[in-house]
Amino acid sequence: MTISLAKCSKPSVRCTILSTSTPELQLGALPDSPNKTPLAVWRPPASVMGSHWVIHAPAFAEEMNKSRHMVARQARRLAANGHTVVVPDLCGTGDSPDSLEVATWQGWVEELCAVVHWARDQGTQSITLWGLRLGCLLALEAAVRLEARAAPPDHLLLWQPLLAGKLQMAQFLRLVTAAAVTRGQEGQTAASVKAALAEGETVEVAGYPLSSILYSGLQDADAAALTLPANTSVTVIEVASQADKPLLPVTAKHLASWQEAGMACTARTVVGDAFWATQELGFADALLNASDEALGAFGAEGPSTQKMDSRRPVSLTIDAERRGVASSVVFRCQSAQLAGRLHVPESFAPKSTGVVIVVGGPQYRVGSHRQFVSLAESLADAGYPVLRFDYRGMGDSDGELAGFTAIHDDIAAGIDALQAAVPVVERVALWGLCDAATAAIAYAGGDPRVVRAALANPWVYSEQGAANVKIKHYYAARIFSLAFWQRLFGGRVALLQSIEDFAKVVVRAIVPRGAHNGTKSDNEDMSWMIDAGDLGGTFLRGLRAFPKPVLLLLSGDDFTAMEFQREVDRNAELRAALEPANIQIHRLADADHTFSRRDWQADVETRTTAFLREA
């Protein structure tokens, strides 16, 4: 069972929390797994525990990252209805200790099968494989392989299925071209990436190291080539922007072939956000409701009436006492369970400083392209214990999602959890990116345990500021881009729409939406508050309340960093607050918002380590 931590009066005291009325989250690893496959398991309350398990097959790359909050929401709902839900992080994904470079498609299929075999060993009577996007194809291949071993799943639940790996690869490689067009630059293209992969190279795409072996395996994976187990039922649910939208044609085609083969198939569309692809957190409550209905027949009062022993723990592997190995932690913030990952070094750096990575944006504790995993591992190698966690309503953590403006209690609980798990930690550094950087500096001055803050591309958004930055850096770059003019004259740019969008940006840049100076307030404790209407003022108050070392990491090719610089240029008080000797500013001239190239990421890790080591 996972280690659970509570907010304790003495940080060195470890507390165990066992939930009796709500689903319990357990984090650990698949026992005897060569890849130490991390698992998140939601256990039902004893009063409704059934014998049906639901095992998730995740989406690919950033689609997985952006979807984790929806996956966790569904897992909690299913667990509340009596199902045990398992979400694995397959090789090179999520919290996995491996790099994506060593992952293979067939390896993922085997890993998912291993999770199913483990679930059978736990005593489950029936299993649903639940896929999302590319995970649907993964679930289908696993079902075929499991049938050959006389252990097929009973049901397949497919969310927004993507049933050919080559389609996923085509979408993924478009990110290369899109990045070049957005920046008005020539350079790497989808064609050049394919050529490199054909030569057996590993290529970085949007921060992910894509190997030729994984690419080849995905190119060959196709649901059309699979003969599914005839006794397995299938439920397909797609998300659409409007009611009464039909299934996508390719989905309908596959569904018809499965029905012709005698399989029991149902399908529907529901209204919601395309949460796996949205820039901000997306939601689809109707999808959750439809999935609850689809699995209702397998509930505690359904066909699978044999109950498992509610006292029997799930046999996860927990490495919490081993140094040099990332461990799982679940701790409390008020009434919510927060999920985290703890990296404990083999030997500690001087002064017992730990690091809490504050996570923000539409992601969870692993970060875009797993940047927080890499950062945590790098800092632990340098001797610093690190906790990265999901605040309330994000990733695997439950509770109400209030956003980055209301996570002070979450940060405090994270520091408590780090000190409870690693009692030698007396001092803490906060590390945050984007809105998490703003939240971190707003918090830092009110907690004496916080002695340093590393802030990457802080979020000081305003409509007017964002519009000015876009005109100066986006539209100006496009005017001087040969690629843009080629696309325009080639008919690949919607000219009228582009002109309309530009006009709207100009209006926002000229007309301010309210004025804030961020320097005066009737509230005496504003240093602990985040004013969403005046994020520049919030950042300024945070700096003034925290006269300790601060590292600012600013990307040169990032609108968020550009807007921060614009705020500095126009606000003399903020400029003055950045001048003291305790403030270090490091600029990465060509880096994007999340430092997606390995050399940029390494630079951030090196700078952060050097910052922590300074006296």
Side-chain angles (χ1 to χ4, degrees), residues 43-89:
R43 292 267 286 172
S47 59
V48 297
M49 181 173 287
S51 59
H52 184 71
W53 282 39
V54 181
I55 299 172
H56 183 61
F60 181 71
E62 280 312 283
E63 291 189 359
M64 172 189 173
N65 190 18
K66 292 181 176 183
S67 301
R68 187 70 175 219
H69 67 294
M70 280 292 294
V71 169
R73 278 168 167 73
Q74 184 69 78
R76 285 192 292 272
R77 289 175 59 143
L78 292 174
N81 289 331
H83 310 281
T84 297
V85 185
V86 183
V87 178
D89 288 342

mmCIF file of all heavy atoms in Angstrom, residues 43-89:
data_model
loop_
_atom_site.group_PDB
_atom_site.id
_atom_site.type_symbol
_atom_site.label_atom_id
_atom_site.label_comp_id
_atom_site.label_asym_id
_atom_site.label_seq_id
_atom_site.Cartn_x
_atom_site.Cartn_y
_atom_site.Cartn_z
ATOM 1 N N ARG A 43 -9.209 2.654 -5.107
ATOM 2 C CA ARG A 43 -9.919 1.556 -4.454
ATOM 3 C C ARG A 43 -11.286 2.051 -3.994
ATOM 4 O O ARG A 43 -11.421 3.131 -3.413
ATOM 5 C CB ARG A 43 -9.127 1.087 -3.241
ATOM 6 C CG ARG A 43 -7.817 0.401 -3.608
ATOM 7 C CD ARG A 43 -8.004 -1.085 -3.718
ATOM 8 N NE ARG A 43 -8.144 -1.688 -2.388
ATOM 9 C CZ ARG A 43 -8.478 -2.955 -2.173
ATOM 10 N NH1 ARG A 43 -8.750 -3.730 -3.191
ATOM 11 N NH2 ARG A 43 -8.551 -3.426 -0.960
ATOM 12 N N PRO A 44 -12.346 1.255 -4.211
ATOM 13 C CA PRO A 44 -13.683 1.665 -3.761
ATOM 14 C C PRO A 44 -13.799 1.627 -2.244
ATOM 15 O O PRO A 44 -13.045 0.913 -1.572
ATOM 16 C CB PRO A 44 -14.598 0.608 -4.389
ATOM 17 C CG PRO A 44 -13.758 -0.160 -5.347
ATOM 18 C CD PRO A 44 -12.349 -0.038 -4.884
ATOM 19 N N PRO A 45 -14.737 2.366 -1.693
ATOM 20 C CA PRO A 45 -15.056 2.197 -0.270
ATOM 21 C C PRO A 45 -15.523 0.760 -0.014
ATOM 22 O O PRO A 45 -16.113 0.119 -0.893
ATOM 23 C CB PRO A 45 -16.208 3.197 -0.045
ATOM 24 C CG PRO A 45 -16.111 4.169 -1.176
ATOM 25 C CD PRO A 45 -15.555 3.405 -2.336
ATOM 26 N N ALA A 46 -15.234 0.253 1.157
ATOM 27 C CA ALA A 46 -15.560 -1.146 1.469
ATOM 28 C C ALA A 46 -17.050 -1.429 1.307
ATOM 29 O O ALA A 46 -17.445 -2.534 0.946
ATOM 30 C CB ALA A 46 -15.118 -1.465 2.898
ATOM 31 N N SER A 47 -17.877 -0.412 1.507
ATOM 32 C CA SER A 47 -19.326 -0.614 1.468
ATOM 33 C C SER A 47 -19.860 -0.920 0.077
ATOM 34 O O SER A 47 -20.943 -1.494 -0.068
ATOM 35 C CB SER A 47 -20.038 0.625 2.014
ATOM 36 O OG SER A 47 -19.686 1.774 1.244
ATOM 37 N N VAL A 48 -19.115 -0.536 -0.973
ATOM 38 C CA VAL A 48 -19.602 -0.763 -2.336
ATOM 39 C C VAL A 48 -18.624 -1.584 -3.174
ATOM 40 O O VAL A 48 -18.794 -1.730 -4.374
ATOM 41 C CB VAL A 48 -19.886 0.569 -3.063
ATOM 42 C CG1 VAL A 48 -20.983 1.344 -2.372
ATOM 43 C CG2 VAL A 48 -18.619 1.403 -3.193
ATOM 44 N N MET A 49 -17.589 -2.136 -2.558
ATOM 45 C CA MET A 49 -16.542 -2.804 -3.326
ATOM 46 C C MET A 49 -17.080 -4.002 -4.084
ATOM 47 O O MET A 49 -17.702 -4.897 -3.533
ATOM 48 C CB MET A 49 -15.410 -3.237 -2.403
ATOM 49 C CG MET A 49 -14.265 -3.923 -3.149
ATOM 50 S SD MET A 49 -12.864 -4.240 -2.074
ATOM 51 C CE MET A 49 -12.216 -2.594 -1.867
ATOM 52 N N GLY A 50 -16.837 -4.004 -5.406
ATOM 53 C CA GLY A 50 -17.211 -5.119 -6.249
ATOM 54 C C GLY A 50 -15.978 -5.856 -6.726
ATOM 55 O O GLY A 50 -14.863 -5.609 -6.275
ATOM 56 N N SER A 51 -16.164 -6.763 -7.681
ATOM 57 C CA SER A 51 -15.046 -7.562 -8.156
ATOM 58 C C SER A 51 -14.587 -7.150 -9.550
ATOM 59 O O SER A 51 -13.749 -7.816 -10.149
ATOM 60 C CB SER A 51 -15.448 -9.045 -8.171
ATOM 61 O OG SER A 51 -16.579 -9.227 -9.014
ATOM 62 N N HIS A 52 -15.148 -6.058 -10.062
ATOM 63 C CA HIS A 52 -14.803 -5.612 -11.408
ATOM 64 C C HIS A 52 -13.681 -4.576 -11.361
ATOM 65 O O HIS A 52 -13.728 -3.640 -10.564
ATOM 66 C CB HIS A 52 -16.035 -5.006 -12.086
ATOM 67 C CG HIS A 52 -15.786 -4.604 -13.515
ATOM 68 N ND1 HIS A 52 -15.620 -5.515 -14.522
ATOM 69 C CD2 HIS A 52 -15.675 -3.382 -14.099
ATOM 70 C CE1 HIS A 52 -15.421 -4.889 -15.663
ATOM 71 N NE2 HIS A 52 -15.440 -3.590 -15.434
ATOM 72 N N TRP A 53 -12.679 -4.762 -12.234
ATOM 73 C CA TRP A 53 -11.564 -3.817 -12.321
ATOM 74 C C TRP A 53 -11.565 -3.144 -13.686
ATOM 75 O O TRP A 53 -11.903 -3.766 -14.707
ATOM 76 C CB TRP A 53 -10.227 -4.541 -12.115
ATOM 77 C CG TRP A 53 -9.917 -4.848 -10.672
ATOM 78 C CD1 TRP A 53 -10.788 -5.262 -9.715
ATOM 79 C CD2 TRP A 53 -8.634 -4.778 -10.048
ATOM 80 N NE1 TRP A 53 -10.135 -5.471 -8.520
ATOM 81 C CE2 TRP A 53 -8.805 -5.180 -8.699
ATOM 82 C CE3 TRP A 53 -7.358 -4.440 -10.491
ATOM 83 C CZ2 TRP A 53 -7.748 -5.234 -7.788
ATOM 84 C CZ3 TRP A 53 -6.303 -4.494 -9.591
ATOM 85 C CH2 TRP A 53 -6.501 -4.880 -8.258
ATOM 86 N N VAL A 54 -11.158 -1.898 -13.697
ATOM 87 C CA VAL A 54 -11.041 -1.120 -14.925
ATOM 88 C C VAL A 54 -9.574 -0.699 -15.068
ATOM 89 O O VAL A 54 -9.019 -0.072 -14.152
ATOM 90 C CB VAL A 54 -11.948 0.127 -14.901
ATOM 91 C CG1 VAL A 54 -11.824 0.911 -16.203
ATOM 92 C CG2 VAL A 54 -13.399 -0.269 -14.643
ATOM 93 N N ILE A 55 -8.955 -1.060 -16.176
ATOM 94 C CA ILE A 55 -7.531 -0.776 -16.397
ATOM 95 C C ILE A 55 -7.393 0.163 -17.581
ATOM 96 O O ILE A 55 -7.891 -0.116 -18.676
ATOM 97 C CB ILE A 55 -6.746 -2.076 -16.638
ATOM 98 C CG1 ILE A 55 -6.856 -2.974 -15.397
ATOM 99 C CG2 ILE A 55 -5.280 -1.782 -16.966
ATOM 100 C CD1 ILE A 55 -6.276 -4.363 -15.584
ATOM 101 N N HIS A 56 -6.724 1.268 -17.358
ATOM 102 C CA HIS A 56 -6.640 2.331 -18.357
ATOM 103 C C HIS A 56 -5.440 2.144 -19.274
ATOM 104 O O HIS A 56 -4.338 1.784 -18.831
ATOM 105 C CB HIS A 56 -6.525 3.689 -17.662
ATOM 106 C CG HIS A 56 -6.514 4.854 -18.595
ATOM 107 N ND1 HIS A 56 -7.565 5.141 -19.437
ATOM 108 C CD2 HIS A 56 -5.573 5.820 -18.836
ATOM 109 C CE1 HIS A 56 -7.280 6.226 -20.140
ATOM 110 N NE2 HIS A 56 -6.080 6.650 -19.807
ATOM 111 N N ALA A 57 -5.648 2.393 -20.565
ATOM 112 C CA ALA A 57 -4.567 2.458 -21.548
ATOM 113 C C ALA A 57 -4.458 3.913 -21.983
ATOM 114 O O ALA A 57 -5.374 4.441 -22.624
ATOM 115 C CB ALA A 57 -4.867 1.557 -22.741
ATOM 116 N N PRO A 58 -3.366 4.600 -21.633
ATOM 117 C CA PRO A 58 -3.313 6.060 -21.779
ATOM 118 C C PRO A 58 -3.078 6.537 -23.199
ATOM 119 O O PRO A 58 -2.646 5.784 -24.081
ATOM 120 C CB PRO A 58 -2.132 6.451 -20.876
ATOM 121 C CG PRO A 58 -1.273 5.234 -20.838
ATOM 122 C CD PRO A 58 -2.193 4.062 -20.943
ATOM 123 N N ALA A 59 -3.356 7.822 -23.395
ATOM 124 C CA ALA A 59 -3.081 8.498 -24.659
ATOM 125 C C ALA A 59 -1.580 8.716 -24.813
ATOM 126 O O ALA A 59 -0.783 8.390 -23.924
ATOM 127 C CB ALA A 59 -3.836 9.827 -24.712
ATOM 128 N N PHE A 60 -1.188 9.305 -25.932
ATOM 129 C CA PHE A 60 0.220 9.444 -26.290
ATOM 130 C C PHE A 60 0.722 10.860 -26.018
ATOM 131 O O PHE A 60 0.056 11.843 -26.315
ATOM 132 C CB PHE A 60 0.396 9.116 -27.771
ATOM 133 C CG PHE A 60 1.818 9.199 -28.269
ATOM 134 C CD1 PHE A 60 2.758 8.251 -27.893
ATOM 135 C CD2 PHE A 60 2.219 10.232 -29.106
ATOM 136 C CE1 PHE A 60 4.069 8.317 -28.357
ATOM 137 C CE2 PHE A 60 3.521 10.310 -29.580
ATOM 138 C CZ PHE A 60 4.453 9.351 -29.201
ATOM 139 N N ALA A 61 1.924 10.953 -25.426
ATOM 140 C CA ALA A 61 2.674 12.214 -25.278
ATOM 141 C C ALA A 61 1.827 13.293 -24.592
ATOM 142 O O ALA A 61 1.245 13.030 -23.548
ATOM 143 C CB ALA A 61 3.207 12.664 -26.637
ATOM 144 N N GLU A 62 1.741 14.500 -25.186
ATOM 145 C CA GLU A 62 1.033 15.591 -24.514
ATOM 146 C C GLU A 62 -0.456 15.318 -24.373
ATOM 147 O O GLU A 62 -1.111 15.893 -23.502
ATOM 148 C CB GLU A 62 1.251 16.921 -25.245
ATOM 149 C CG GLU A 62 2.573 17.604 -24.940
ATOM 150 C CD GLU A 62 2.873 17.682 -23.459
ATOM 151 O OE1 GLU A 62 2.286 18.528 -22.763
ATOM 152 O OE2 GLU A 62 3.697 16.893 -22.979
ATOM 153 N N GLU A 63 -1.008 14.461 -25.224
ATOM 154 C CA GLU A 63 -2.419 14.111 -25.061
ATOM 155 C C GLU A 63 -2.632 13.411 -23.721
ATOM 156 O O GLU A 63 -3.645 13.623 -23.051
ATOM 157 C CB GLU A 63 -2.892 13.226 -26.217
ATOM 158 C CG GLU A 63 -2.955 13.972 -27.551
ATOM 159 C CD GLU A 63 -3.621 13.154 -28.644
ATOM 160 O OE1 GLU A 63 -4.020 11.998 -28.370
ATOM 161 O OE2 GLU A 63 -3.752 13.676 -29.768
ATOM 162 N N MET A 64 -1.694 12.597 -23.319
ATOM 163 C CA MET A 64 -1.760 11.952 -22.007
ATOM 164 C C MET A 64 -1.643 12.996 -20.907
ATOM 165 O O MET A 64 -2.401 12.987 -19.929
ATOM 166 C CB MET A 64 -0.650 10.925 -21.861
ATOM 167 C CG MET A 64 -0.523 10.337 -20.468
ATOM 168 S SD MET A 64 0.966 9.331 -20.300
ATOM 169 C CE MET A 64 0.916 8.987 -18.535
ATOM 170 N N ASN A 65 -0.686 13.901 -21.055
ATOM 171 C CA ASN A 65 -0.440 14.928 -20.050
ATOM 172 C C ASN A 65 -1.685 15.782 -19.828
ATOM 173 O O ASN A 65 -2.103 16.035 -18.691
ATOM 174 C CB ASN A 65 0.742 15.797 -20.508
ATOM 175 C CG ASN A 65 1.247 16.732 -19.439
ATOM 176 O OD1 ASN A 65 0.967 16.544 -18.261
ATOM 177 N ND2 ASN A 65 1.982 17.742 -19.853
ATOM 178 N N LYS A 66 -2.293 16.227 -20.914
ATOM 179 C CA LYS A 66 -3.444 17.122 -20.814
ATOM 180 C C LYS A 66 -4.715 16.400 -20.372
ATOM 181 O O LYS A 66 -5.677 17.047 -19.949
ATOM 182 C CB LYS A 66 -3.683 17.801 -22.159
ATOM 183 C CG LYS A 66 -2.576 18.775 -22.546
ATOM 184 C CD LYS A 66 -2.871 19.451 -23.872
ATOM 185 C CE LYS A 66 -1.799 20.493 -24.202
ATOM 186 N NZ LYS A 66 -2.096 21.214 -25.450
ATOM 187 N N SER A 67 -4.717 15.073 -20.474
ATOM 188 C CA SER A 67 -5.921 14.298 -20.161
ATOM 189 C C SER A 67 -5.954 13.748 -18.747
ATOM 190 O O SER A 67 -6.983 13.228 -18.317
ATOM 191 C CB SER A 67 -6.036 13.109 -21.132
ATOM 192 O OG SER A 67 -6.093 13.522 -22.466
ATOM 193 N N ARG A 68 -4.845 13.840 -18.029
ATOM 194 C CA ARG A 68 -4.760 13.110 -16.761
ATOM 195 C C ARG A 68 -5.845 13.520 -15.771
ATOM 196 O O ARG A 68 -6.375 12.677 -15.034
ATOM 197 C CB ARG A 68 -3.380 13.334 -16.141
ATOM 198 C CG ARG A 68 -3.110 12.480 -14.909
ATOM 199 C CD ARG A 68 -2.942 11.003 -15.258
ATOM 200 N NE ARG A 68 -2.560 10.213 -14.108
ATOM 201 C CZ ARG A 68 -1.691 9.211 -14.124
ATOM 202 N NH1 ARG A 68 -1.121 8.851 -15.251
ATOM 203 N NH2 ARG A 68 -1.401 8.553 -13.031
ATOM 204 N N HIS A 69 -6.211 14.803 -15.752
ATOM 205 C CA HIS A 69 -7.244 15.233 -14.803
ATOM 206 C C HIS A 69 -8.589 14.589 -15.125
ATOM 207 O O HIS A 69 -9.346 14.227 -14.218
ATOM 208 C CB HIS A 69 -7.374 16.756 -14.800
ATOM 209 C CG HIS A 69 -7.909 17.334 -16.081
ATOM 210 N ND1 HIS A 69 -7.211 17.278 -17.271
ATOM 211 C CD2 HIS A 69 -9.077 17.963 -16.371
ATOM 212 C CE1 HIS A 69 -7.909 17.857 -18.227
ATOM 213 N NE2 HIS A 69 -9.048 18.272 -17.718
ATOM 214 N N MET A 70 -8.895 14.405 -16.420
ATOM 215 C CA MET A 70 -10.155 13.760 -16.792
ATOM 216 C C MET A 70 -10.117 12.261 -16.489
ATOM 217 O O MET A 70 -11.113 11.674 -16.051
ATOM 218 C CB MET A 70 -10.428 13.990 -18.274
ATOM 219 C CG MET A 70 -11.016 15.356 -18.591
ATOM 220 S SD MET A 70 -12.700 15.561 -17.966
ATOM 221 C CE MET A 70 -13.584 14.365 -18.969
ATOM 222 N N VAL A 71 -8.982 11.641 -16.722
ATOM 223 C CA VAL A 71 -8.825 10.223 -16.404
ATOM 224 C C VAL A 71 -9.019 10.003 -14.903
ATOM 225 O O VAL A 71 -9.720 9.071 -14.470
ATOM 226 C CB VAL A 71 -7.448 9.715 -16.869
ATOM 227 C CG1 VAL A 71 -7.156 8.319 -16.313
ATOM 228 C CG2 VAL A 71 -7.366 9.713 -18.397
ATOM 229 N N ALA A 72 -8.409 10.871 -14.092
ATOM 230 C CA ALA A 72 -8.535 10.736 -12.638
ATOM 231 C C ALA A 72 -9.965 10.989 -12.169
ATOM 232 O O ALA A 72 -10.466 10.310 -11.261
ATOM 233 C CB ALA A 72 -7.574 11.697 -11.942
ATOM 234 N N ARG A 73 -10.648 11.962 -12.790
ATOM 235 C CA ARG A 73 -12.043 12.213 -12.423
ATOM 236 C C ARG A 73 -12.906 10.983 -12.689
ATOM 237 O O ARG A 73 -13.741 10.606 -11.878
ATOM 238 C CB ARG A 73 -12.579 13.426 -13.203
ATOM 239 C CG ARG A 73 -12.197 14.762 -12.600
ATOM 240 C CD ARG A 73 -12.503 15.916 -13.554
ATOM 241 N NE ARG A 73 -12.424 17.201 -12.885
ATOM 242 C CZ ARG A 73 -11.308 17.797 -12.505
ATOM 243 N NH1 ARG A 73 -10.154 17.202 -12.739
ATOM 244 N NH2 ARG A 73 -11.319 18.956 -11.889
ATOM 245 N N GLN A 74 -12.695 10.376 -13.866
ATOM 246 C CA GLN A 74 -13.461 9.176 -14.177
ATOM 247 C C GLN A 74 -13.105 8.043 -13.220
ATOM 248 O O GLN A 74 -13.995 7.301 -12.767
ATOM 249 C CB GLN A 74 -13.186 8.741 -15.610
ATOM 250 C CG GLN A 74 -14.013 7.557 -16.060
ATOM 251 C CD GLN A 74 -15.484 7.894 -16.216
ATOM 252 O OE1 GLN A 74 -15.889 8.487 -17.192
ATOM 253 N NE2 GLN A 74 -16.302 7.525 -15.224
ATOM 254 N N ALA A 75 -11.831 7.903 -12.893
ATOM 255 C CA ALA A 75 -11.403 6.840 -11.986
ATOM 256 C C ALA A 75 -12.075 6.981 -10.627
ATOM 257 O O ALA A 75 -12.533 5.984 -10.043
ATOM 258 C CB ALA A 75 -9.880 6.867 -11.846
ATOM 259 N N ARG A 76 -12.137 8.210 -10.109
ATOM 260 C CA ARG A 76 -12.775 8.411 -8.797
ATOM 261 C C ARG A 76 -14.258 8.075 -8.849
ATOM 262 O O ARG A 76 -14.813 7.478 -7.907
ATOM 263 C CB ARG A 76 -12.560 9.852 -8.334
ATOM 264 C CG ARG A 76 -11.150 10.138 -7.848
ATOM 265 C CD ARG A 76 -11.052 11.465 -7.127
ATOM 266 N NE ARG A 76 -11.242 12.599 -8.013
ATOM 267 C CZ ARG A 76 -10.259 13.189 -8.707
ATOM 268 N NH1 ARG A 76 -9.028 12.719 -8.627
ATOM 269 N NH2 ARG A 76 -10.506 14.228 -9.470
ATOM 270 N N ARG A 77 -14.921 8.462 -9.929
ATOM 271 C CA ARG A 77 -16.351 8.177 -10.047
ATOM 272 C C ARG A 77 -16.600 6.674 -10.144
ATOM 273 O O ARG A 77 -17.521 6.146 -9.518
ATOM 274 C CB ARG A 77 -16.922 8.905 -11.266
ATOM 275 C CG ARG A 77 -17.001 10.409 -11.077
ATOM 276 C CD ARG A 77 -17.458 11.121 -12.332
ATOM 277 N NE ARG A 77 -18.760 10.689 -12.795
ATOM 278 C CZ ARG A 77 -19.668 11.495 -13.345
ATOM 279 N NH1 ARG A 77 -19.402 12.787 -13.462
ATOM 280 N NH2 ARG A 77 -20.819 11.028 -13.767
ATOM 281 N N LEU A 78 -15.795 5.993 -10.942
ATOM 282 C CA LEU A 78 -15.959 4.549 -11.065
ATOM 283 C C LEU A 78 -15.679 3.845 -9.743
ATOM 284 O O LEU A 78 -16.380 2.892 -9.369
ATOM 285 C CB LEU A 78 -15.039 4.010 -12.156
ATOM 286 C CG LEU A 78 -15.384 4.425 -13.596
ATOM 287 C CD1 LEU A 78 -14.305 3.937 -14.557
ATOM 288 C CD2 LEU A 78 -16.749 3.905 -14.011
ATOM 289 N N ALA A 79 -14.648 4.305 -9.027
ATOM 290 C CA ALA A 79 -14.333 3.691 -7.730
ATOM 291 C C ALA A 79 -15.460 3.910 -6.735
ATOM 292 O O ALA A 79 -15.784 3.019 -5.939
ATOM 293 C CB ALA A 79 -13.022 4.261 -7.198
ATOM 294 N N ALA A 80 -16.083 5.083 -6.781
ATOM 295 C CA ALA A 80 -17.201 5.351 -5.879
ATOM 296 C C ALA A 80 -18.376 4.420 -6.160
ATOM 297 O O ALA A 80 -19.211 4.173 -5.284
ATOM 298 C CB ALA A 80 -17.643 6.806 -6.021
ATOM 299 N N ASN A 81 -18.434 3.876 -7.386
ATOM 300 C CA ASN A 81 -19.502 2.951 -7.761
ATOM 301 C C ASN A 81 -19.104 1.485 -7.602
ATOM 302 O O ASN A 81 -19.823 0.593 -8.050
ATOM 303 C CB ASN A 81 -19.928 3.204 -9.207
ATOM 304 C CG ASN A 81 -20.676 4.514 -9.361
ATOM 305 O OD1 ASN A 81 -21.334 4.971 -8.433
ATOM 306 N ND2 ASN A 81 -20.567 5.124 -10.530
ATOM 307 N N GLY A 82 -17.928 1.231 -7.010
ATOM 308 C CA GLY A 82 -17.559 -0.139 -6.693
ATOM 309 C C GLY A 82 -16.467 -0.757 -7.523
ATOM 310 O O GLY A 82 -16.058 -1.890 -7.278
ATOM 311 N N HIS A 83 -15.975 -0.046 -8.539
ATOM 312 C CA HIS A 83 -14.915 -0.585 -9.389
ATOM 313 C C HIS A 83 -13.535 -0.223 -8.830
ATOM 314 O O HIS A 83 -13.340 0.869 -8.302
ATOM 315 C CB HIS A 83 -15.016 -0.014 -10.803
ATOM 316 C CG HIS A 83 -16.374 -0.110 -11.415
ATOM 317 N ND1 HIS A 83 -16.871 -1.260 -11.969
ATOM 318 C CD2 HIS A 83 -17.365 0.819 -11.549
ATOM 319 C CE1 HIS A 83 -18.093 -1.044 -12.423
ATOM 320 N NE2 HIS A 83 -18.417 0.209 -12.180
ATOM 321 N N THR A 84 -12.583 -1.110 -8.980
ATOM 322 C CA THR A 84 -11.186 -0.781 -8.730
ATOM 323 C C THR A 84 -10.588 -0.337 -10.058
ATOM 324 O O THR A 84 -10.718 -1.029 -11.064
ATOM 325 C CB THR A 84 -10.412 -1.993 -8.191
ATOM 326 O OG1 THR A 84 -10.970 -2.374 -6.928
ATOM 327 C CG2 THR A 84 -8.936 -1.658 -8.000
ATOM 328 N N VAL A 85 -9.948 0.823 -10.056
ATOM 329 C CA VAL A 85 -9.449 1.418 -11.299
ATOM 330 C C VAL A 85 -7.928 1.534 -11.234
ATOM 331 O O VAL A 85 -7.377 2.016 -10.240
ATOM 332 C CB VAL A 85 -10.067 2.805 -11.559
ATOM 333 C CG1 VAL A 85 -9.615 3.345 -12.918
ATOM 334 C CG2 VAL A 85 -11.592 2.729 -11.497
ATOM 335 N N VAL A 86 -7.252 1.091 -12.297
ATOM 336 C CA VAL A 86 -5.797 1.105 -12.359
ATOM 337 C C VAL A 86 -5.357 1.949 -13.558
ATOM 338 O O VAL A 86 -5.808 1.716 -14.683
ATOM 339 C CB VAL A 86 -5.227 -0.320 -12.507
ATOM 340 C CG1 VAL A 86 -3.702 -0.287 -12.494
ATOM 341 C CG2 VAL A 86 -5.761 -1.232 -11.413
ATOM 342 N N VAL A 87 -4.479 2.920 -13.297
ATOM 343 C CA VAL A 87 -3.918 3.744 -14.369
ATOM 344 C C VAL A 87 -2.403 3.549 -14.360
ATOM 345 O O VAL A 87 -1.716 4.038 -13.458
ATOM 346 C CB VAL A 87 -4.274 5.228 -14.177
ATOM 347 C CG1 VAL A 87 -3.649 6.080 -15.285
ATOM 348 C CG2 VAL A 87 -5.791 5.416 -14.168
ATOM 349 N N PRO A 88 -1.857 2.804 -15.339
ATOM 350 C CA PRO A 88 -0.407 2.587 -15.375
ATOM 351 C C PRO A 88 0.300 3.675 -16.177
ATOM 352 O O PRO A 88 -0.274 4.266 -17.090
ATOM 353 C CB PRO A 88 -0.294 1.240 -16.088
ATOM 354 C CG PRO A 88 -1.468 1.207 -17.017
ATOM 355 C CD PRO A 88 -2.563 2.007 -16.348
ATOM 356 N N ASP A 89 1.544 3.938 -15.826
ATOM 357 C CA ASP A 89 2.436 4.772 -16.637
ATOM 358 C C ASP A 89 3.398 3.820 -17.344
ATOM 359 O O ASP A 89 4.344 3.311 -16.729
ATOM 360 C CB ASP A 89 3.211 5.766 -15.765
ATOM 361 C CG ASP A 89 2.331 6.883 -15.239
ATOM 362 O OD1 ASP A 89 1.244 7.089 -15.803
ATOM 363 O OD2 ASP A 89 2.732 7.545 -14.263
#
